Amino acid sequence: MMDVAKAAGCSQATVSVVLNNVMDIKISPDLRARVLDVARTLGYGLASPIRRAGLEDLREGCIGFIVDQLATTPEAVNAIEGARHASWEKDVTILVAQTQGRAEHERKALARLLQAGAQGIVYMSVFTRRVSLDPVFDDLPVPLVLLNCYTSDNRFPAVVPDEVTGGRMATASLIRKGHRRIGTIVGESFMEAAQDRLTGYREALAEAGLAYDDRLVVEGNWTPTSGYEATQKLLSLREPPSAIFCQNDKMAMGCFGAISEAGLRIPGDISVVGYDDDELSRHLRPQLTTLELPHRPMGAWAIEQLARKARSMHRGTHKVGCTFVARGSVGRKSH
C-alpha cells in the first residue's frame, strides 16, 4: 500500500479506504480512480497468498484470532492485517479477541468465537516464544494455527520470524561495507528474539573470519533510553566500534542521540542498523537502515494453513524471513 500511495500521490490511509471500498469517507472520484489504476498497474496483491490459498471452504465464514496483546506494539495489528488481506476477496470475516495471556480469558474467547461460527482459530503471541496451551485447545472442532509462537511438541502448524537469519543479515550488511569492529545492542536476554538475533550476529562475524568480542555486546531493554546508554558505553571503549547493530529501532533512536551528542556523524563516522522497520525509522535523519519483521506474511501464511485444513496443513514450525530495508544510516568504513 505504501508503493501505491507513493505512485498515486496520496496517503496510505487513502489507499486503504479505496481498496477496501469504504464509501462513507468522502474521496473524490478522480483520486479513487487514480488509486485503483495505480494498484492495477503495480499488480497489487498478485504476489500475496491471496492467489495461492484455497479459501473456497472459508468463503463467507469467519476466523477467530486470539492474541495476548494488541496495543503495545504494531506486530499483532500487522499480522491481523496480513490475515485480512489474504482473506478479503473470499468475504471471510476475522474476529479478534485480546486475552492478556490469561487462560480463563482464552477459554471464554475461544468458546465465543466457536459460538460465532469460527471455522478456524489463529493463536498469536506478541513476543516470539514457546507456549503451553490450555487443554481446551487440544480437541477443537476446527483447525488451529499458532502465530509468532510454537509448542514444544510441534503438534500444531506454527509460524515465527527467522530471527537468526535477520541478525546475520543486519551484521553482514555492515561487514560488506568494510566494517570490522561492529558493536551490537541486544534486547532483554530472556527473550528468544534477542537470543536469536545475537546468534545471527555471531554467525555473521564467524563467516567473515572476525573474532567475537563481548566488550562490543551491550544489553538494552528495547527502549530509546537503553539504546542511548548502551551507545555511550560502546563509544567509551578505547577502540570504539565503527558500526552498531541495534536489535530494534527504538534502541537505534537512542543510539542516534548518543552519537550526535558525542559530535559524531551518521554514517560518516559511525554506521547504524536497526531492526523492526518501525515507522520512526523513516523519520530519523539520516533515515535508518533496518529489517522489516514479517508479521504481515506470517498472518497470510496462517490463513493459508486454515484453508488447507487438517488434511494438508504444515506440521511443525515454519520460519519466515525478514526483509532488509537499506536507507541512509550505513556507509562504507573510512580508513
Side-chain angles (χ1 to χ4, degrees):
M1 284 196 287
M2 286 192 294
D3 293 338
V4 174
K6 184 176 179 180
C10 65
S11 70
Q12 186 176 337
T14 298
V15 173
S16 178
V17 167
V18 172
L19 296 183
N20 285 294
N21 200 32
V22 177
M23 302 308 294
D24 55 352
I25 297 178
K26 201 166 185 180
I27 294 177
S28 72
D30 288 346
L31 178 54
R32 192 177 289 273
R34 186 163 76 247
V35 169
L36 291 172
D37 183 58
V38 168
R40 291 189 194 98
T41 301
L42 295 179
Y44 177 83
L46 292 177
S48 87
I50 284 178
R51 310 293 172 182
R52 301 196 307 271
L55 295 173
E56 295 301 328
D57 290 344
L58 299 177
R59 183 185 289 276
E60 298 182 359
C62 66
I63 290 169
F65 218 104
I66 296 176
V67 59
D68 50 7
Q69 291 283 348
L70 277 172
T72 54
T73 66
E75 281 77 18
V77 175
N78 288 341
I80 292 167
E81 174 63 12
R84 184 204 62 80
H85 184 74
S87 58
W88 71 321
E89 288 193 349
K90 300 302 181 183
D91 196 24
V92 175
T93 299
I94 296 177
L95 306 178
V96 182
Q98 178 179 258
T99 64
Q100 305 292 331
R102 298 178 182 175
E104 65 271 23
H105 291 178
E106 291 178 353
R107 289 191 291 269
K108 289 178 181 177
L110 181 60
R112 289 169 184 171
L113 290 170
L114 293 174
Q115 187 177 24
Q119 295 165 273
I121 300 294
V122 178
Y123 180 98
M124 178 179 180
S125 168
V126 169
F127 300 116
T128 307
R129 60 189 175 93
R130 185 176 63 193
V131 293
S132 298
L133 295 179
D134 188 276
V136 73
F137 289 95
D138 288 338
D139 297 306
L140 293 180
V142 298
L144 172 69
V145 174
L146 307 184
L147 201 161
N148 209 37
C149 56
Y150 59 95
T151 56
S152 57
D153 58 6
N154 289 318
R155 67 187 186 278
F156 301 110
V159 59
V160 299
D162 188 347
E163 301 281 22
V164 173
T165 300
R168 189 165 61 241
M169 289 170 63
T171 310
S173 72
L174 296 167
I175 294 171
R176 286 195 298 271
K177 292 293 186 178
H179 296 279
R180 293 296 178 266
R181 190 162 175 79
I182 300 169
T184 185
I185 303 173
V186 302
E188 294 164 295
S189 58
F190 71 89
M191 294 181 62
E192 289 191 18
Q195 297 166 16
D196 289 348
R197 292 172 196 179
L198 181 60
T199 297
Y201 164 83
R202 298 187 69 153
E203 287 183 359
L205 294 180
E207 288 169 4
L210 301 176
Y212 173 81
D213 184 346
D214 59 13
R215 291 172 297 180
L216 292 174
V217 179
V218 183
E219 185 171 333
N221 62 10
W222 310 110
T223 65
T225 298
S226 71
Y228 173 86
E229 294 172 349
T231 302
Q232 287 185 317
K233 292 179 182 177
L234 289 170
L235 295 180
S236 69
L237 293 173
R238 184 176 356 181
E239 189 180 353
S242 65
I244 299 176
F245 162 38
C246 300
Q247 283 199 0
N248 79 339
D249 294 343
K250 287 184 172 64
M251 292 194 297
M253 180 182 180
C255 176
F256 268 50
I259 290 171
S260 175
E261 198 172 276
L264 301 173
R265 295 171 296 114
I266 301 171
D269 297 312
I270 188 164
S271 292
V272 179
V273 172
Y275 206 107
D276 288 349
D277 197 26
D278 192 298
E279 185 178 357
L280 68 84
S281 65
R282 295 181 285 280
H283 297 286
L284 293 172
R285 291 295 178 269
Q287 291 188 335
L288 178 64
T289 294
T290 186
L291 282 95
E292 180 184 10
L293 281 167
H295 285 82
R296 282 186 176 86
M298 285 163 56
W301 185 91
I303 297 301
E304 182 181 358
Q305 295 306 305
L306 293 178
R308 290 180 175 183
K309 298 204 171 180
R311 60 182 178 273
S312 59
M313 291 174 79
H314 178 101
R315 297 298 172 184
T317 302
H318 176 68
K319 293 187 176 182
V320 179
C322 299
T323 301
F324 184 77
V325 184
R327 296 195 180 102
S329 64
V330 173
R332 187 160 292 281
K333 171 71 166 65
S334 58
H335 298 286

